[in-house]
Each structure stands twice: as structure tokens, then as C-alpha cells.
């Protein structure tokens, strides 16, 4: 479905980003795997992607840094020669009630998710516009759609990604580039592994499908948005949340 395409996936050393990179590779795309510090996880994603017979490379990149993300995007362009698909997946949480939330924790979360997505779009925009079917996919969250107590920083960043998605969709549509967001619900990854069993049980009870999702279920939506099957969809937010936020 993605034969001959080159995809850049941020935060692909584990969790949802890894599942997206591997599903893209399985569907024939070569992948640039970006990670923050987990070199072993990124190398594992690369090995597993290569097993599908595609080229895969890893790049350490703190996406919250303009300079670092610019240098890495230039290196990816030099290595692969073209970029067709960008997935802005890197994200962190620093949960706290608003009255206790520090400026540093607000800035860190917005810096990685929202500003990081801006940086990568900004640095790869010209390359993606040259693709015959450029695709930008931003991984938002249901927290950004409905707000979540204890996550003012994260909800703001993820809601910001929806605005970014729609603005970019309108700006790039004339160049044949689509830009969409995925809003996952509760997904089993390191990000949710630390939640108490009580919190998880309460979450499961509120989800119509009565279970947490898997990273592969997010990857399924990502491969659809990256492929020709979604060619007339842009500026959309697809919830993949078991019905939580309907
Ligand atoms: P995860 O398992 O915690 O993985 C986070 C990924 O982001 C890792 O690859 C990490 O790299 C990378 N990363 C962190 N800080 C970075 C930085 N400054 N620069 C570049 N990369 C950075 O998270 P996940 O659950 O897979 O989540 C992936 C995305 O889905 C996030 O945007 C998250 O907000 C969103 N999401 C998740 C859920 C959920 O329930 N899990 C729900 C809604 C939305 P290292 O491994 O190198 O640290």
C-alpha cells in the first residue's frame, strides 16, 4: 500500500510510533525512525522494519529543539532523497493538577508534542510538497478533544495539534498534501503502564468497547491516512478510542 514511499516517524523507539513505523514498513515504505534517548529501542524498531525488506534508519532527535530537528530533517533528506509521509507522534506527559503544575512541566509537554510537530512540519514541508501524494499525520489525543483533569498541559498541547492540523491542511491542500490527526484514547504503552489498576478499571468501564486499545490499532488508522485510500480526507481528526469520546 505504501510501496516506494519514504516515511518519517517521530517517537518510533517504542509504543505507538514503533507500531506505526513497523506497519508502514510491512506495507512497503522505507522509514526514518526518530527517538529521544532510547537507542536500543530505536535499533530494535529498525531491525524489525528491515525484516520487511525495506530500508530503515534511526536518528536521535529532540523534536522540541528547532536546531536539532532541522539538522536531523536535513540529514534524512540527504540519506533518503525524498520524504512523502511525516508522522508527528513524539509526546510526553507531566501530569499534575493545574494548581500544582509548574511552568517547566507545561513548557516541556507543549514543547515536545505541539512545538515538536510544528518543527518537523516546518523543516520537511518543502520535501513533502514535492511528493506526488504528501501526507502529514499528527498524533493528538482524546485529552485534547474533551480535556482531562490533571493534564492541562497535555490537553492544551493535543488540542493545539488539532488546530495545527487544520491550518496545515488548508495551507498545503493546493500542493496535494493532506494533513490529518489521530486522537487515540487509552492505549497500552509505556505512557499508560504506570497508571494504577483502579484508574485503568475506571477507564475501561467508561469505554464502550470495554478495553484499552493497542498500538497496532492506532497504526491501522495511520496506514490508512498515509495511503491512497484516504486521498480525499484532509483536516480530519479520527478518534481511535473504543468509542470513549463520542
Ligand atoms: P511512549 O510509549 O511513552 O513513547 C513516547 C515516544 O516519544 C518514545 O519513542 C520517545 O523516545 C519519544 N519522545 C519523547 N520525548 C521526545 C522528544 N523530546 N523528542 C523526540 N522524541 C521524543 O508513548 P506512546 O503511548 O507510544 O504515545 C505516542 C503518542 O501517542 C504520543 O504523542 C502520545 O501523547 C499519544 N497518545 C498516547 C495515548 C496512550 O494512551 N498511550 C493516548 C493518546 C495519545 P525515547 O524512547 O527515545 O524516549
Amino acid at each position: 500500500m505504501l510501496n516506494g514511499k519514504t516515511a518519517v516517524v517521530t517517537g518510533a523507539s517504542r509504543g505507538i510510533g514503533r507500531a506505526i513505523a513497523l506497519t508502514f514498513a510491512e506495507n512497503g515504505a522505507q522509514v526514518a525512525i526518530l527517538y529521544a534517548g532510547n537507542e536500543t529501542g530505536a535499533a530494535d524498531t529498525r531491525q524489525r522494519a528491515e525484516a520487511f525488506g525495506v530500508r530503515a534508519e534511526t536518528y536521535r532527535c529532540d523534536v522540541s529543539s528547532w536546531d536539532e530537528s532541522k539538522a536531523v530533517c536535513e540529514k534524512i533528506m540527504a540519506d533518503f532523497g525524498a520524504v512523502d509521509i511525516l508522522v508527528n507522534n513524539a509526546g510526553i506527559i507531566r501530569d499534575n493538577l493545574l494548581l500544582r503544575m509548574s511552568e517547566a512541566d507545561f513548557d516541556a509537554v507543549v514543547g515536545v508534542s505541539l512545538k515538536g510537530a510544528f518543527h518537523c512540519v516546518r523543516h520537511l514541508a518543502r520535501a513533502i510538497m514535492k511528493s506526488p501524494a504528501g501526507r502529514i499525520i499528527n498524533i493528538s489525543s482524546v485529552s485534547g478533544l474533551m480535556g482531562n483533569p490533571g493534564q492541562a498541559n497535555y490537553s492544551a498541547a493535543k488540542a493545539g495539534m488539532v488546530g495545527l492540523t487544520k491550518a496545515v491542511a488548508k495551507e498545503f491542500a493546493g500542493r496535494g498534501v493532506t494533513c490529518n490527526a489521530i486522537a487515540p484514547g487509552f492505549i497500552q504503552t509505556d505512557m499508560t503502564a504506570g497508571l494504577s489498576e483502579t484508574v485503568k478499571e475506571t477507564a475501561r468501564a467508561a469505554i464502550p468497547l470495554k478495553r484499552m486499545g493497542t498500538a497496532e490499532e492506532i497504526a491501522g488508522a495511520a496506514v490508512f491516512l498515509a495511503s491512497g485510500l484516504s486521498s480525499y480526507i484532509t483536516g480530519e481528526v479520527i478518534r481511535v478510542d473504543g468509542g470513549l469520546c463520542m
Side-chain angles (χ1 to χ4, degrees):
M1 213 181 294
L2 302 177
N3 280 338
K5 307 277 184 196
T6 300
V8 175
V9 185
T10 70
S13 43
R14 52 200 165 101
I16 292 170
R18 166 183 282 163
I20 292 172
L22 293 179
T23 309
F24 281 8
E26 189 178 6
N27 280 277
Q30 38 186 10
V31 283
I33 295 154
L34 273 60
Y35 67 102
N38 183 359
E39 201 174 336
T40 314
D44 184 52
T45 308
R46 186 186 64 224
Q47 249 185 353
R48 289 162 63 179
E50 285 170 345
F52 291 112
V54 299
R55 181 177 179 192
E57 303 290 347
T58 60
Y59 302 87
R60 181 190 292 268
C61 175
D62 175 0
V63 295
S64 70
S65 158
W66 168 277
D67 290 342
E68 214 172 290
S69 52
K70 185 169 190 284
V72 166
C73 289
E74 283 168 2
K75 176 86 173 77
I76 291 169
M77 280 303 300
D79 289 350
F80 287 92
V83 171
D84 305 281
I85 303 157
L86 166 64
V87 182
N88 286 307
N89 165 78
I92 56 168
I93 46 171
R94 295 278 187 277
D95 294 355
N96 217 334
L97 293 174
L98 186 105
L99 288 178
R100 293 194 204 129
M101 188 172 285
S102 68
E103 183 185 13
D105 282 350
F106 190 91
D107 287 349
V109 169
V110 171
V112 176
S113 287
L114 180 55
K115 228 173 147 204
F118 162 68
H119 289 154
C120 294
V121 173
R122 177 71 175 76
H123 301 316
L124 289 173
R126 286 192 172 84
I128 294 171
M129 281 177 187
K130 285 189 191 140
S131 167
R135 296 280 194 271
I136 298 166
I137 300 164
N138 294 322
I139 307 300
S140 175
S141 166
V142 292
S143 297
L145 303 182
M146 57 183 187
N148 204 21
Q151 290 197 315
N153 48 4
Y154 186 76
S155 302
K158 295 300 189 179
M161 288 183 92
V162 172
L164 176 74
T165 297
K166 293 182 179 187
V168 169
K170 286 183 177 174
E171 282 194 34
F172 292 12
R175 311 297 289 266
V177 176
T178 69
C179 181
N180 293 289
I182 296 172
F186 276 91
I187 309 301
Q188 292 165 28
T189 66
D190 290 352
M191 192 173 271
T192 49
L195 296 174
S196 71
E197 211 29 63
T198 317
V199 171
K200 284 189 195 165
E201 201 38 61
T202 310
R204 278 194 286 266
I207 299 167
L209 285 179
K210 298 295 174 211
R211 65 172 177 86
M212 292 175 75
T214 65
E216 288 69 27
E217 288 173 314
I218 306 302
V223 81
F224 166 69
L225 289 175
S227 77
L229 293 174
S230 65
S231 51
Y232 203 53
I233 300 176
T234 196
E236 186 56 273
V237 183
I238 299 186
R239 288 183 299 105
V240 184
D241 65 352
L244 176 65
C245 188
M246 66 177 137

